[in-house]
Amino acid sequence: MDRLQKTEIEDFKAHFQGEVLLPDDAAYDEVRQIWNAMVDRRPGLIARCVSPEDVVQAVRLARKHNLLVSIRGGGHNIAGNAVCDDGLMIDLSLMKKVQVDGNARRASVEPGCTLADFDAVAQAHGLATPLGINSTTGVAGLTLGGGFGWLSRKHGMTVDNLLSADIVTADGNPVHASETENDDLFWGLRGGGGNFGIVTSFEFQLHPVGPDVLSGLIVFPFDQAKSVLTQFARFTETMLDDLAVWMVTRKAPPLPFLPEDVHGKEIVVLALCYAGDPVEGEKLIEPLRGFGTMLGEHIGVQPYTAWQQAFDPLLARGARNYWKSHNFSQLSAGAVDAIIEYAARLPSPQCEIFIGTIGGQTARVAPEAMAYSARDANYVMNVHARWESAAEDERCIAWAREFFAKSQPFASGGAYINFLTQDETDRIAFAYGATYDRLVELKKKYDPTNLFRMNQNIKPV
Ligand SMILES: Cc1cc2nc3c(=O)[nH]c(=O)nc-3n(C[C@H](O)[C@H](O)[C@H](O)COP(=O)(O)OP(=O)(O)OC[C@H]3O[C@@H](n4cnc5c(N)ncnc54)[C@H](O)[C@@H]3O)c2cc1C
């Protein structure tokens, strides 16, 4: 790191409780790796924080020497913003404390927690808040971009359940943000990504959930995709908030409940979770089985924490990934046709198109209430290209881009910032949508020099 003298690094280490890694250190290569193997960057210095004071020290170092800063929570961001070349990577993944007040139904969560870390402690009290569907994702990045998962139709976006946050802003000072303290900053944190500082603690509202929930998969053959998807679009428009049904179309993994001759062939999967009484849920999901001739199903009452981990094996770290995403208020016939056309030519066995169904409680919040404004997004589509070798990059990326363009006329506008890739800087204002201008004003106030710019960046101009 050219900008720092050896003595300055030594001085930083002397005031830092966590670990400081330089490129020659044994752990350096392991720690700089993130979920998306397409991103291979080499920070000049990695500061592995273990306390809010460490975060303060790291921000002050970056500020003093004008270092490029990247912030790592769970390391899942598809654009790879957790890691930078040459600059300072502030790694929060060692800060993993979760404290739950069962009576108040509140949790305080440190920024290195994965969804699994948080769910495990909250579920010990029979509680949870809406998070994503892959348990190795970081709570921090997911929350700051909006956050949605199986519980969102019932309890809203993750940010709708954020009560307060402790944050170190670009001036290197810790502040508290809530509806009653630094309320403008709190407004921006709920959807504005990592633009305003480094959150050292999140406080969430919790809700009674499970601990067992009715959940699982129903699988149909691809030649019935048109009928299944059309019925899925209609069914999901009116389903109760307790129920979430998502759609994935991909090549069948070797799941034991599917006939062997289907493995590796295109399928349509309905994935569901009912966040209420399982007996009621069974009645509500029965019509889904009649959407076509099922190839198999794997539905049952299981711990919520197990369902939260169900997709982990398909989404493990280390593969190459490229995503494109649209929001939809409705799934029109045109959107269904586009999905089927591109799912028929998946360029690798791990590629998929999925539709996450939100709406319900997520749609009952005013668009201007906080930075996350896409309250008309009832469906979030992600074309998830995923493959193993660099030789396949061009083919897989081209497929995702073509499908994205083909489905664009049916989208409703806006995009989920947590699904934007690194080549989508031209979509950032569009993705933030109605609240973008106010976010720019906030950025000017809290980070006028754009210290925090390795993110879906809101420029202070
Ligand atoms: C397999 C997979 C499944 C996913 N499923 C869902 C899903 O179901 N629902 C959903 O909503 N999203 C989902 N996502 C998207 C996810 O929300 C984003 O990738 C998110 O950025 C991950 O956060 P992270 O902390 O793991 O990432 P990181 O890469 O560590 O962080 C991402 C960015 O967030 C900011 N950031 C992180 N921590 C802090 C902090 N403490 N303070 C300030 N800024 C910070 C930084 O700008 C950082 O670059 C999924 C992602 C993956 C890879």
Side-chain angles (χ1 to χ4, degrees), residues 71 73-77 81 92 132-134 138 140-141 144 148 197 199 416 418:
I71 308 164
H76 263 218
N77 190 259
N81 285 324
L92 306 167
I133 63 146
N134 172 221
L144 293 167
F148 64 89
V199 176
Y416 184 37
N418 275 344

Side-chain angles (χ1 to χ4, degrees), residues 231-293:
Q231 292 176 81
F232 164 78
R234 234 178 286 138
F235 181 91
T236 48
E237 278 176 9
T238 55
M239 67 186 172
L240 294 183
D241 292 356
D242 279 25
L243 183 60
V245 186
W246 292 21
M247 191 288 302
V248 186
T249 176
R250 56 168 294 137
K251 289 182 195 278
L255 296 169
F257 69 92
L258 291 178
E260 264 183 38
D261 61 349
V262 172
H263 296 175
K265 307 247 169 68
E266 292 81 6
I267 49 170
V268 179
V269 183
L270 301 182
L272 64 93
C273 180
Y274 184 74
D277 174 5
V279 178
E280 283 306 307
E282 252 308 332
K283 290 182 213 153
L284 290 174
I285 67 165
E286 184 52 29
L288 300 174
R289 298 184 170 102
F291 282 7
T293 316

